[in-house]
Amino acid sequence: MAKHDHDHKILRYRRNQRFVHALLASSFILLLLTGMVLLWGPLSFLAVGGNSRWLHRVGAIAFMLVPVAYLLADREGAKELLRETFRYDRDDISWFKHMYRYAMGHAAEMPPQGRLNAGQKLHHGAVIVISLSIVLSGLAMWFIKPTLGATGLAWTAVIHDLSMLALTLLLVGHLYFTYVYKAMSSMTTGYVDEDEARLEHSKWVEEIEHAEEEPQIEKEEQPAPQT
Ligand code: HEM
């Protein structure tokens, strides 16, 4: 389907990208729930029988498969995400200066933004870095626990738990912005309303329009065939 359709909707995430995001979200929630059962005394009765230990490892494998799945399912999308996440321009810096307005739901007054706004860049970048910390500390506790020693194990567990806490707090913000900016359709149907997108990501919408106009211009500029 075209990126831009006649119902004034714009394609934001392709089907495979949405599938990868669903894998990320569900594996993270499984890790969080089973992790809390393993860690938190009042919930420990749920750990009886070892199911939560087993489920936690299933969640960990699914979570680690996310980057592999992204590269296999939509290599371009994965590369675009990495490229854009770590590249900030002047508009992004000035976006941060006014981010309280964005947090209050006033996107119209914000500096123009590309496909990802500066806050999303920060969120996605933090997800990548913190996930790496969760995975490495988790793998250490899974496979080389006896070699860590008591202090090493305690520090690894602290890093693992604090990283999960940080991603959980980020998730609260992520859900808040999804709700405030009615962004859920981008991960369900893949499409967003053109006017909403123009409000939040005007540079991105202009890029799409420009790309759609280009072949038209080329056609018009071609010399008329000689008869
Ligand atoms: C559980 C409920 C979740 C919901 C409802 C949700 C919702 C969304 C939505 C609507 C977007 C698109 C935002 C936009 O570009 O306009 C998005 C993107 C994203 N979310 Fe979530 N999310 C959830 C969980 C998570 C979790 C747990 C993580 C990380 C651990 C996460 C990380 C991301 C990332 C990295 C993107 C960008 C995806 C890409 O560019 O391919 N999300 N999410």
Side-chain angles (χ1 to χ4, degrees), residues 23-35 51-67 134-135 142 160 164:
L23 180 66
L24 171 65
S26 51
S27 59
F28 179 76
I29 288 168
L30 181 60
L31 283 175
L32 182 63
L33 295 178
T34 51
N51 278 344
S52 42
R53 267 172 63 87
W54 177 79
L55 274 174
H56 197 67
R57 279 153 179 75
V58 171
I61 291 166
F63 192 72
M64 287 188 287
L65 281 176
V66 167
I134 291 171
V135 166
W142 190 352
H160 194 67
M164 274 308 278

Side-chain angles (χ1 to χ4, degrees), residues 12-13 21 24-25 28-29 70 81 120 123-124 127 167 171 174-175 178 183-184 186-187:
R12 191 155 168 81
Y13 292 103
H21 179 265
L24 171 65
F28 179 76
I29 288 168
Y70 212 158
L81 172 65
Q120 288 173 321
H123 170 262
H124 301 353
V127 166
L167 260 199
L171 177 60
H174 189 53
L175 294 177
T178 298
M184 201 54 209
S186 66
M187 279 302 172

Side-chain angles (χ1 to χ4, degrees), residues 69-213:
Y70 212 158
L71 282 171
L72 290 177
D74 193 328
R75 181 180 285 266
E76 267 318 300
K79 283 204 288 198
E80 193 180 25
L81 172 65
L82 276 180
R83 206 173 33 239
E84 293 182 9
T85 292
F86 296 103
R87 190 176 290 166
Y88 291 86
D89 64 14
R90 276 172 193 276
D91 287 326
D92 292 330
I93 308 301
S94 99
W95 190 97
F96 282 125
K97 291 185 186 151
H98 304 288
M99 66 180 294
Y100 63 93
R101 284 192 210 153
Y102 184 79
M104 294 295 127
H106 305 300
E109 299 154 29
M110 300 300 287
Q113 295 289 282
R115 191 181 70 89
L116 301 178
N117 66 40
Q120 288 173 321
K121 290 180 183 180
L122 196 65
H123 170 262
H124 301 353
V127 166
I128 294 168
V129 173
I130 298 171
S131 297
L132 211 62
S133 157
I134 291 171
V135 166
L136 292 179
S137 52
L139 286 175
M141 289 192 288
W142 190 352
F143 292 108
I144 54 165
K145 195 173 177 174
T147 66
L148 294 175
T151 318
L153 180 60
W155 274 110
T156 312
V158 166
I159 291 168
H160 194 67
D161 298 349
L162 286 181
S163 305
M164 274 308 278
L165 178 66
L167 260 199
T168 307
L169 294 176
L170 279 181
L171 177 60
V172 174
H174 189 53
L175 294 177
Y176 169 78
F177 287 112
T178 298
Y179 173 74
V180 169
Y181 287 102
K182 303 183 190 79
M184 201 54 209
S185 67
S186 66
M187 279 302 172
T188 50
T189 64
Y191 282 82
V192 289
D193 189 76
E194 184 184 330
D195 292 335
E196 298 275 345
R198 202 182 292 281
L199 207 64
E200 277 186 77
H201 307 276
S202 56
K203 291 198 282 192
W204 175 59
V205 177
E206 281 161 22
E207 257 170 47
I208 294 172
E209 287 172 341
H210 190 70
E212 282 174 349
E213 276 164 17

